[in-house]
Amino acid sequence: MTTQPDWIAVDWGTSQLRLWQMAGDGTVLDRAESPEGMGRLTPSQFEPVLLRLLGDLPRRDTPLPVIICGMAGARQGWAEAPYVRTPCAPPGLAQALRVPGTDPRLAVHILPGVAQDSPADVMRGEETQVAGFLALNPRFDGVICLPGTHSKWVHVSAGEIVSFRSYMTGEIFALLSGQSVLRHGLAEGWDEAAFAAGVDQAMARPSGFAGDLFTLRAEGLLHGLDGAAARARLSGLLIGMELAAAKPYWLGQNVALLGASGLVAHYRTALEAQGLPVLIADADRMTLEGLKSARTPKEA
Amino acid sequence: MTTQPDWIAVDWGTSQLRLWQMAGDGTVLDRAESPEGMGRLTPSQFEPVLLRLLGDLPRRDTPLPVIICGMAGARQGWAEAPYVRTPCAPPGLAQALRVPGTDPRLAVHILPGVAQDSPADVMRGEETQVAGFLALNPRFDGVICLPGTHSKWVHVSAGEIVSFRSYMTGEIFALLSGQSVLRHGLAEGWDEAAFAAGVDQAMARPSGFAGDLFTLRAEGLLHGLDGAAARARLSGLLIGMELAAAKPYWLGQNVALLGASGLVAHYRTALEAQGLPVLIADADRMTLEGLKSARTPKEA
């Protein structure tokens, strides 16, 4: 007979969900993944997905706590968990939305995202990674960068999210490399020098972006620019423009990078070229640590 | 009985083609349009499309000259018409590619595009609009801006294209407004003040682009930003970034805008806000004038 979980941790994003069955001491008993992200589900479809991933759930005296972070709490998600506003500590169970009307064996809590009034900005999911990082590095004071579809730069001090900014870098890269005229000149692979050149070019002259892009196309047509080099330079131009914009965040700061390993390596290269040492942390692990930390009441 | 044309003018772009049946004195006898642009055709499909649009073509003693500009001359088009290099006058019939093996009633000539070695850049079709503008304004010395999918800024002096730069402004707008997360917050309509604010913001701080985009999304979520205002500001951010990059082209210059009326009006607004008066010309008319001018040998 398998050990029954004491609670369930879930990272429910737009394009996928990851679930961990947890023992009370923080041990992971089992894990599951599914492509049934928020983007594919109507509100009534979330609970059946959750129950299926949990398998045979026995009758219980008290409902099984489920703690969810991410886009499941968006307006188009399972149930809207209103944002908390900066400056604030990463939200915990006390601020979570208890989803009404679920199977009586479950007590489903969705963690809020964090919003900033001016400049207007929002996050859902990244605040939990920040919480995980702070749980493991409680005295960290500085900036956490979370590269991705919508990269975040988060200024953290005294355990609070002070302010943050999002950049559409990853989404713009996906659109340009997959669907624009540039796709004809790109190929898989990587070229570190071309990436560094793109970063330098965009940081030195960010306004040139829309023209630098077309130059990539024209260099392919006229001078036979290699497809992997073109792809790396495109990535460098986008990351360079982000670094130029986020400079007030990182200049002279402690910077920690949280994210998937490949992307984090590129950001690290670009930041170290600016003479900035960075700390690296694994995003998946931080998510789970953040969900664990959300379950634990904070000390005053 | 209808008058037979003396020659045929064709603007064969990526997404459409336009054809004019011309009398020797420059009178338009008939015109046709078709969505059968280069993007939809394999090389062998161009001639049947042309013959169909010409209707009943009688037997002739000498072949009917057909002069084509645009993407039909690209590597993926009907037949590749190699680029001429800057600095150069807009190419005419003498530099055109005579397409071999066509129906003996036709003599098909495809005009070359123009290429620039450094910074690498290319155009196919715009050089003919420039030729048309110069035919009507032979003493023009300054900069011609052709807004569009890949906007061009062309420095013209003494009848030659001296240099030019392309910006992917229109294509980026289409991708972001149609396929990115921003699409959820955009609506049809226009807001002149929001457009002007976007232009100012991007010109003042072009590096902020990827962050300013996400702010549009967040202002929609948090502050109910109107969809038409968001769309106009997105356009303003992109055009502002282009103007910031192209400043060496337009600052203190004569500027002529050639393009579709709606887009030209936005560029005019943005440039006039910089204190720059602009001349406006209709792009369709310039194309036909350019094809007419390509047919006429230039005087030395």
Side-chain angles (χ1 to χ4, degrees):
Chain A
M1 184 187 140
T2 49
T3 313
Q4 286 301 316
D6 288 300
W7 67 287
I8 306 295
V10 187
D11 174 21
W12 209 317
T14 302
S15 56
Q16 63 164 349
L17 80 100
R18 289 172 308 146
L19 178 151
W20 297 267
Q21 303 208 24
M22 305 294 298
D25 64 358
T27 310
V28 175
L29 302 174
D30 200 0
R31 62 183 77 214
E33 282 189 33
S34 160
E36 289 153 302
M38 177 279 265
R40 292 196 187 185
L41 301 176
T42 61
S44 64
Q45 295 174 312
F46 283 81
E47 187 173 16
V49 168
L50 180 61
L51 285 167
R52 199 191 71 235
L53 292 174
L54 289 174
D56 290 326
L57 197 63
R59 188 181 298 267
R60 295 174 56 99
D61 292 333
T62 57
L64 177 66
V66 178
I67 305 179
I68 301 175
C69 70
M71 293 299 284
R75 205 169 295 167
Q76 303 80 17
W78 186 348
E80 185 174 5
Y83 297 108
V84 296
R85 303 273 159 164
T86 55
C88 59
L93 207 49
Q95 292 109 311
L97 173 81
R98 169 74 191 264
V99 180
T102 61
D103 185 302
R105 292 169 298 176
L106 299 176
V108 176
H109 306 268
I110 303 182
L111 292 170
V114 174
Q116 175 173 276
D117 274 325
S118 178
D121 216 327
V122 292
M123 63 169 81
R124 277 200 189 273
E126 292 90 350
E127 73 295 330
T128 302
Q129 297 183 342
V130 169
F133 183 81
L134 289 176
L136 298 180
N137 304 274
R139 282 183 299 206
F140 180 84
D141 201 302
V143 169
I144 302 175
C145 170
L146 304 104
T149 304
H150 301 151
S151 295
K152 311 282 180 193
W153 290 78
V154 185
H155 180 202
V156 168
S157 184
E160 289 202 329
I161 294 173
V162 179
S163 67
F164 67 102
R165 287 305 302 272
S166 305
Y167 300 90
M168 283 181 56
T169 306
E171 185 164 13
I172 300 174
F173 180 80
L175 288 171
L176 289 174
S177 62
Q179 299 191 54
S180 82
V181 70
L182 299 181
R183 71 185 187 281
H184 302 299
L186 305 186
E188 287 305 307
W190 194 252
D191 178 324
E192 204 62 47
F195 172 74
V199 172
D200 285 349
Q201 190 175 359
M203 289 194 73
R205 200 161 157 278
S207 69
F209 179 65
D212 296 339
L213 292 183
F214 197 80
T215 303
L216 279 182
R217 171 70 180 145
E219 285 195 7
L221 288 170
L222 300 179
H223 307 321
L225 176 66
D226 173 69
R231 185 166 167 277
R233 198 160 96 204
L234 172 61
S235 172
L237 287 170
L238 279 158
I239 291 175
M241 191 161 63
E242 180 181 329
L243 293 192
K247 197 165 186 175
Y249 269 79
W250 55 260
L251 193 68
Q253 284 280 2
N254 290 317
V255 173
L257 278 168
L258 305 194
S261 56
L263 194 54
V264 157
H266 299 326
Y267 274 74
R268 175 187 207 159
T269 301
L271 283 165
E272 289 185 345
Q274 303 301 316
L276 200 76
V278 293
L279 200 66
I280 304 269
D282 179 69
D284 289 356
R285 182 168 172 223
M286 293 308 125
T287 302
L288 181 56
E289 289 299 327
L291 287 161
K292 282 159 72 172
S293 139
R295 184 168 167 262
T296 319
K298 304 291 174 301
E299 285 158 37
Chain B
M1 184 188 140
T2 49
T3 312
Q4 287 300 318
D6 289 301
W7 66 287
I8 306 295
V10 187
D11 175 21
W12 209 317
T14 303
S15 57
Q16 63 164 349
L17 80 100
R18 290 173 309 145
L19 178 152
W20 297 267
Q21 303 208 21
M22 305 294 296
D25 65 358
T27 311
V28 175
L29 302 173
D30 200 0
R31 62 183 76 214
E33 282 190 32
S34 160
E36 289 154 301
M38 177 278 267
R40 293 193 185 186
L41 301 176
T42 60
S44 64
Q45 294 174 314
F46 284 81
E47 188 174 15
V49 168
L50 179 62
L51 286 167
R52 198 189 73 235
L53 292 174
L54 289 175
D56 290 324
L57 196 63
R59 187 183 298 267
R60 296 175 54 99
D61 293 333
T62 55
L64 177 66
V66 177
I67 304 179
I68 300 175
C69 71
M71 294 298 284
R75 206 168 296 168
Q76 302 80 18
W78 187 345
E80 186 174 4
Y83 297 108
V84 296
R85 303 273 158 164
T86 55
C88 60
L93 207 48
Q95 292 109 313
L97 173 81
R98 169 73 192 263
V99 180
T102 61
D103 186 302
R105 291 168 298 174
L106 300 177
V108 177
H109 305 268
I110 304 182
L111 293 170
V114 174
Q116 176 175 275
D117 274 325
S118 178
D121 215 327
V122 291
M123 63 168 81
R124 278 202 189 270
E126 293 89 349
E127 73 296 329
T128 302
Q129 298 183 343
V130 169
F133 183 81
L134 288 176
L136 298 180
N137 305 275
R139 281 181 302 205
F140 181 84
D141 201 302
V143 170
I144 301 175
C145 170
L146 304 105
T149 304
H150 301 151
S151 296
K152 311 283 178 191
W153 290 78
V154 185
H155 179 202
V156 168
S157 184
E160 289 202 330
I161 295 173
V162 178
S163 67
F164 67 103
R165 287 305 304 271
S166 306
Y167 300 90
M168 282 181 57
T169 307
E171 185 163 15
I172 300 174
F173 180 80
L175 288 171
L176 289 173
S177 62
Q179 300 192 54
S180 82
V181 70
L182 299 181
R183 71 186 187 280
H184 302 299
L186 304 186
E188 287 304 308
W190 194 252
D191 179 322
E192 203 62 48
F195 173 74
V199 172
D200 284 350
Q201 190 174 357
M203 289 194 72
R205 200 161 157 279
S207 70
F209 179 65
D212 296 338
L213 291 182
F214 198 80
T215 304
L216 278 182
R217 171 71 180 145
E219 286 195 6
L221 288 170
L222 299 179
H223 307 321
L225 176 65
D226 173 69
R231 186 165 167 278
R233 197 159 96 204
L234 172 61
S235 172
L237 288 169
L238 278 158
I239 291 176
M241 191 161 63
E242 181 181 327
L243 293 193
K247 198 166 185 173
Y249 268 79
W250 54 259
L251 193 67
Q253 283 281 1
N254 289 317
V255 174
L257 278 167
L258 305 195
S261 56
L263 194 54
V264 157
H266 299 326
Y267 275 73
R268 176 188 206 157
T269 301
L271 283 165
E272 289 185 346
Q274 303 301 316
L276 199 76
V278 293
L279 199 68
I280 304 268
D282 179 69
D284 288 357
R285 183 168 170 223
M286 294 307 124
T287 303
L288 181 55
E289 290 299 328
L291 287 162
K292 282 159 72 172
S293 138
R295 185 168 167 260
T296 318
K298 302 292 175 300
E299 285 159 36

